[in-house]
Amino acid sequence: MKKILLFTSVFAFFSCKDAIKTETNNDFLVAENIKFDEPEINTNMTITAKADLLGYWVGEFIDDTAYDENGNEEEYIDEEIGNVDYDYFKKITFSIDKIKGSEITGHSIVSGNIQKFKGQVVENPKVFIINVKEPGNQKTDGEFVLSIRKKDSLLTGSWDALKKADNKVSKRKLKLAKKIFEYNPNHKMEDRFVDFHKSAIKKVEYDSEDSLGNPIKESYDDEQYFTTTDTIFSINPSTEILKKELVENLSKGDVFILRNLIFARHGFAFRDKSLRSFFDYHSWYMPVFSDVTKDLTDIEKKNIALLLRYEENAKEYYDHFGR
């Protein structure tokens, strides 16, 4: 599937006296008001006992009807930009927080939204079956039915929206692997960031000949897209204090992505679609928390402040990307 990497401003904030920008739409802070128990992490990755289910499960959360008449997976197209619509293809963190008898409680994290769930887990001789529901107070709430065979490590199943008419996708399938979240300041960038919604027409000249064979200059209009440069692969804003002389020469996209790389490494669950789409394709990224500001290191706080200072006025960089 061809990736689409979009661009919109999203910011995280931390308290104290430092003024760190946040999203202009503060609705994204609603997720922080949902109280849930931290999961009782069980490090067993192969499931043999009920307690082994405790912890974070991460993986696909995609449209369960995304198949054509021949059973082949369809690619949903965003007509505005001619690329895959990622509302149909998402990553989910399914956190099993507590198990007491057959009662199970936890929370899900999708698109930066955190919601609690509760229900039952049934143990059969060969399989565990989980059936849980979210409260129903949000239009995106639904019911999960999942199962995993004993001595296996893959949790699979489905999600059905409780309010089907309110959802663009009312039925999804899940394929989840258990993961232990660990902050790693050395997680690397695995791709460049491109905004296919933001483009500029560049006139490109080339050498040609007229009908008599005389050399002439001709040109064509090339549509180029807002992106990062390769510089991002050689900078680590989590381990090195960035210098003003370096940052002031970075492109706007470089500054934006380097700053949000810090939050991604801490497991921040981005609500912004552009950042989710970008970091979801990083093998190490795991959306877990709605607020990671208390976990930022002193180096990261200093770099965020410096990057923010130059982000607004940084030069934009455009490049050619075929779609």
Side-chain angles (χ1 to χ4, degrees), residues 49 81-82 175 213 215 243 308:
I81 55 177
K175 185 182 294 185
K243 302 296 185 183
L308 277 170

Side-chain angles (χ1 to χ4, degrees), residues 57-64 90-94 108 110 143-147 154-160 171-177:
W57 295 80
V58 182
E60 298 176 352
F61 189 60
I62 62 178
D63 183 10
D64 199 22
K90 296 184 178 183
K91 179 181 282 188
I92 184 173
T93 298
F94 185 83
S108 63
V110 182
E143 178 179 9
F144 295 88
V145 179
L146 305 167
S147 65
L154 198 64
L155 186 62
T156 61
S158 63
W159 170 90
D160 284 276
K171 185 176 180 64
R172 294 181 182 271
K173 62 180 180 179
L174 297 87
K175 185 182 294 185
L176 312 176

Side-chain angles (χ1 to χ4, degrees), residues 18 33 40 55 57 70 122 162 177 224 231 238 250 276 280:
D18 296 316
N33 295 327
E40 298 175 2
W57 295 80
N70 297 317
V122 176
L162 298 177
Q224 299 180 2
T231 305
S238 293
L250 294 174
R276 290 201 320 271
D280 273 359

Side-chain angles (χ1 to χ4, degrees), residues 3-60:
K3 300 180 188 176
I4 173 170
L5 310 174
L6 314 176
F7 178 86
T8 311
S9 291
V10 125
F11 303 91
F13 74 101
F14 53 88
S15 55
C16 303
K17 295 181 180 179
D18 296 316
I20 299 302
K21 286 186 179 181
T22 182
E23 268 187 324
T24 54
N25 180 357
N26 288 329
D27 288 346
F28 92 110
L29 297 176
V30 171
E32 297 176 12
N33 295 327
I34 297 175
K35 304 299 181 183
F36 54 86
D37 295 322
E38 290 294 327
E40 298 175 2
I41 301 296
N42 183 301
T43 58
N44 293 336
M45 308 304 281
T46 300
I47 309 305
T48 57
K50 194 182 296 183
D52 295 337
L53 294 167
L54 291 165
Y56 298 117
W57 295 80
V58 182
E60 298 176 352

Side-chain angles (χ1 to χ4, degrees), residues 236-287:
N236 189 337
S238 293
T239 60
E240 58 186 275
I241 296 179
L242 304 183
K243 302 296 185 183
K244 176 178 73 70
E245 294 77 16
L246 170 67
V247 175
E248 65 185 3
N249 288 306
L250 294 174
S251 75
K252 187 184 289 286
D254 290 343
V255 175
F256 173 71
I257 289 299
L258 285 171
R259 181 171 57 78
N260 281 289
L261 171 62
I262 294 171
F263 295 103
R265 285 170 169 163
H266 282 281
F268 183 73
F270 295 105
R271 285 196 65 157
D272 178 73
K273 189 175 180 180
S274 66
L275 289 167
R276 290 201 320 271
S277 299
F278 179 63
F279 285 111
D280 273 359
Y281 276 96
H282 286 67
S283 58
W284 51 262
Y285 175 60
M286 185 173 167

